[in-house]
Amino acid sequence: MSNDTDPPESKLTRSKQRWAREGKFLTGRITRPEDQRLPPGQHLTKDWPVLDLGLLPNVTRERWRLDVYGAVEQTIYWDWPQFTAQPQTQFVSDIHCVTTWSRYDNQWEGLATRDLLAVCQPREDARFVVLHSYDGYTTNLPLEDFAAEDALLAHSWSGQPLEQEHGGPVRLVVPHLYFWKSAKWLQRIEFLTDDAPGFWEERGYHNRGDPWAEQRYSGD
């Protein structure tokens, strides 16, 4: 799905598109039985590397807004006080980036996607979700992935407000998929009846992105 404000092509963007064409990082292995927690081709890091499209939107909590719309019974337009007045949940989960690093035991706090769904009430024909970010980024998810029991709209990490470079004020966290699906700087959530590939999905990356199936690129 193309965005009217697609971000400019950066050096990293061009490199990652080349990786998709070349199948870089693909191992063809399956997760070892003795380590079901680390997907194939991944390595552990204690740092949290910063990867983005070269834009760093400066969105304060005072200016931040979240719109939820499309195939829903209840459209949502929340500012920060309205968002944080919703039920707050804490999860601990792992990060798996398509560029092969993984980080264990990240402590998140925010609004569980299931609590969001209880408010917006997706229509019976809703099947997909597209996340729109303040930097023009988009990514798509099947509704069942968005509704995973440990998925949330995170505003805090390790007990502190989520830093701008990591997607603050609010980012999506869907731990069971590669982390490009967990959109930073979340601005809009669009519910659709038909799928609509996002920024990386249109540039050679897998439409779903399951790390345990090593779904890095389209055709995998």
Side-chain angles (χ1 to χ4, degrees):
M1 177 178 182
S2 296
N3 190 292
D4 293 338
T5 57
D6 275 344
E9 297 285 326
S10 66
K11 183 178 180 180
L12 176 62
T13 302
R14 293 191 294 271
S15 294
K16 291 183 74 172
Q17 287 182 262
R18 187 181 71 252
W19 298 345
R21 292 193 299 269
E22 298 172 352
K24 189 175 178 66
F25 307 131
L26 287 174
T27 68
R29 297 193 297 268
I30 61 173
T31 302
R32 296 174 299 177
E34 65 270 22
D35 192 1
Q36 292 293 322
R37 192 173 177 183
L38 188 67
Q42 297 295 109
H43 68 275
L44 288 177
T45 181
K46 293 184 178 180
D47 298 324
W48 187 356
V50 176
L51 296 174
D52 53 47
L53 301 180
L55 300 175
L56 195 64
N58 184 19
V59 183
T60 64
R61 291 183 170 188
E62 291 74 23
R63 291 180 51 238
W64 180 83
R65 298 290 185 274
L66 178 66
D67 298 343
V68 182
Y69 60 99
V72 294
E73 299 294 342
Q74 181 64 50
T75 302
I76 294 172
Y77 302 103
W78 279 338
D79 58 15
W80 186 260
Q82 290 169 314
F83 172 71
T84 54
Q86 308 306 312
Q88 299 297 295
T89 300
Q90 295 181 344
F91 288 132
V92 176
S93 61
D94 301 338
I95 295 172
H96 304 298
C97 180
V98 72
T99 59
T100 77
W101 60 266
S102 293
R103 190 183 191 282
Y104 286 168
D105 297 325
N106 298 274
Q107 301 174 25
W108 309 103
E109 182 177 358
L111 174 65
T113 57
R114 291 187 175 185
D115 288 328
L116 175 71
L117 295 173
V119 178
C120 70
Q121 301 176 46
R123 298 192 326 232
E124 289 188 4
D125 58 348
R127 296 290 182 272
F128 300 94
V129 178
V130 173
L131 294 309
H132 299 260
S133 300
Y134 273 93
D135 65 343
Y137 179 77
T138 59
T139 191
N140 58 312
L141 293 167
L143 181 54
E144 57 266 29
D145 284 323
F146 181 79
E149 63 179 358
D150 56 355
L152 80 165
L153 279 56
H155 58 68
S156 296
W157 178 78
S158 293
Q160 298 295 322
L162 189 62
E163 294 181 359
Q164 180 187 12
E165 64 182 0
H166 290 306
V170 176
R171 72 171 300 152
L172 180 67
V173 176
V174 181
H176 69 282
L177 299 179
Y178 282 123
F179 214 44
W180 91 76
K181 291 291 187 176
S182 296
K184 295 181 178 182
W185 307 300
L186 194 58
Q187 180 183 30
R188 293 181 283 132
I189 302 175
E190 181 181 11
F191 287 78
L192 300 174
T193 57
D194 298 307
D195 201 7
F199 182 87
W200 285 120
E201 294 79 15
E202 289 185 331
R203 289 164 171 80
Y205 283 70
H206 199 279
N207 200 51
R208 180 158 186 261
D210 180 350
W212 286 269
E214 208 171 7
Q215 293 175 340
R216 302 182 191 273
Y217 311 120
S218 59
D220 297 345

